[in-house]
Amino acid sequence: MSGDGQRLVQDLLDQLDLEPLEQRLFRGSSRDIGGKSVFGGQVAGQAMVAATRTVDASQQAHSMHGYFLRPGDMQAAIVYEVDNIRDGRSFATRRVQAIQHGRPIFSMLASFHIEESGYTHQMSMPDVVGPEELASHDELRRAWVDALDRVPESLREAVGREVAIDMRAVKPWNMLDPDKREPVQHVWFKAKAPLPDDQSVHRAVLTYASDFNLLATSLFPHGVSFFTPGMQMASIDHAIWFHRAFRVDEWLLYAMDSPGAQDSRGLSRGLIFNRDGHLVASVAQEGLIRQRKPRDA
């Protein structure tokens, strides 16, 4: 593993290692990964860490449901306030508010559960080519930028930002020259360096990673992308269900689709499998996909 990968992963772990301020009160910082505001996956991942630090170690997150309320300011700290909603014999529930400049930017409910045995079934993992045969997203983005005649430096910088997650699409989608296709995609992903054995860390990192690529799936039938002039895109809500233990420093397959879009909102879903074909998590998200029309001259 390259030194850059280790540096990026350590930086992500540092982001997720929130500073305790008081009981059930934490503070986190942000990183610019090329967007106009704080990356939604970062806020959701940090909120998951804040909630996890207030429950018993025998309980792991099994679901979260969050709403993105306002764009996050990358230059300001984020304060996470955790409310203890319920502590039962097998389940615990926490509410987390992420606050900047005195106002909530993200609100989440998370549920935790002790390990139990029970009935088991799942959908089958899609039969797709493995990650070793695919180009990384970092390589593809650099090639897409280099293929353009004129590239504003701001665009080159935004597209060229590398993150701690290695992503490899089975059928890559060029965000700088988007084609129309069915709203389905399969992306292998994993952390670029080893992670600690703590399962709560892997669930927080998966929460972070689950926000990549998902919303874009709802754009596929329309031939537009984040970089289309006038396009406004933002996650509105995000939900995850964790089904079993997993490692994000080993390859996971993210099978995504978008069943519909309407009223400037697109719905996307995802199933996440490990290399053994076990379903480890399910994800759903609705996002804003609005294209503003240019004003008449």
Side-chain angles (χ1 to χ4, degrees):
M1 180 57 59
S2 71
D4 284 346
Q6 292 175 339
R7 175 183 56 79
L8 290 166
V9 169
Q10 186 57 55
D11 185 64
L12 175 58
L13 293 176
D14 290 343
Q15 286 183 66
L16 295 174
D17 187 19
L18 303 177
E19 176 190 359
L21 299 177
E22 185 48 89
Q23 282 194 337
R24 299 192 298 277
L25 199 64
F26 307 88
R27 179 164 56 198
S29 59
S30 301
R31 300 293 186 275
D32 182 358
I33 63 170
K36 297 180 180 178
S37 57
V38 175
F39 174 54
Q42 175 206 302
V43 181
Q46 289 178 329
M48 180 63 72
V49 170
T52 300
R53 290 187 176 175
T54 69
V55 300
D56 189 87
S58 65
Q59 296 172 316
Q60 289 290 343
H62 74 89
S63 68
M64 63 81 75
H65 301 260
Y67 278 91
F68 297 95
L69 307 174
R70 295 178 176 87
D73 179 358
M74 283 183 281
Q75 305 306 315
I78 306 174
V79 173
Y80 293 88
E81 183 179 29
V82 183
D83 289 334
N84 186 338
I85 303 300
R86 178 179 182 267
D87 282 310
R89 285 182 295 180
S90 57
F91 287 90
T93 306
R94 297 293 186 268
R95 179 173 57 219
V96 183
Q97 296 272 72
I99 301 168
Q100 276 191 323
H101 307 302
R103 301 191 299 175
I105 63 170
F106 179 73
S107 183
M108 181 188 81
L109 275 174
S111 184
F112 297 78
H113 186 207
I114 63 172
E115 184 176 355
E116 293 191 55
S117 60
Y119 298 112
T120 301
H121 75 276
Q122 67 165 73
M123 296 180 66
S124 299
M125 179 179 177
D127 184 13
V128 298
V129 65
E132 294 83 4
E133 302 178 47
L134 302 171
S136 73
H137 196 201
D138 295 334
E139 296 169 342
L140 290 172
R141 287 189 302 177
R142 286 192 290 266
W144 292 334
V145 170
D146 291 341
L148 298 177
D149 292 332
R150 297 179 179 177
V151 182
E153 190 57 36
S154 58
L155 175 60
R156 184 180 294 276
E157 182 180 357
V159 174
R161 291 285 177 92
E162 294 189 12
V163 297
I165 308 299
D166 187 353
M167 294 171 278
R168 304 188 181 192
V170 174
K171 294 183 179 179
W173 176 71
N174 186 346
M175 66 185 74
L176 301 180
D177 185 20
D179 62 300
K180 290 186 178 182
R181 60 174 69 178
E182 290 297 309
V184 175
Q185 67 169 327
H186 300 93
V187 178
W188 290 98
F189 72 96
K190 72 170 183 174
K192 291 180 177 178
L195 298 174
D197 290 335
D198 186 349
Q199 181 60 201
S200 64
V201 172
H202 289 265
R203 299 193 184 206
V205 173
L206 186 138
T207 301
Y208 170 85
S210 67
D211 198 30
F212 287 110
N213 302 300
L214 188 59
L215 180 55
T217 313
S218 64
L219 298 179
F220 284 8
H222 312 289
V224 294
S225 81
F226 305 98
F227 297 104
T228 298
M231 182 63 65
Q232 288 184 302
M233 296 186 63
S235 302
I236 297 173
D237 61 5
H238 197 81
I240 306 175
W241 296 264
F242 300 102
H243 306 307
R244 53 167 48 87
F246 55 87
R247 296 193 67 92
V248 190
D249 51 7
E250 297 176 354
W251 286 113
L252 299 171
L253 178 66
Y254 204 171
M256 293 165 273
D257 69 3
S258 176
Q262 59 288 308
D263 294 335
S264 296
R265 303 188 315 274
L267 177 64
S268 298
R269 307 176 299 188
L271 299 177
I272 300 177
F273 300 85
N274 64 18
R275 289 298 292 266
D276 294 329
H278 294 136
L279 179 66
V280 302
S282 300
V283 186
Q285 181 183 92
E286 189 175 45
L288 175 70
I289 50 171
R290 176 195 293 148
Q291 187 172 11
R292 290 193 178 277
K293 302 299 182 182
R295 294 181 179 180
D296 296 333

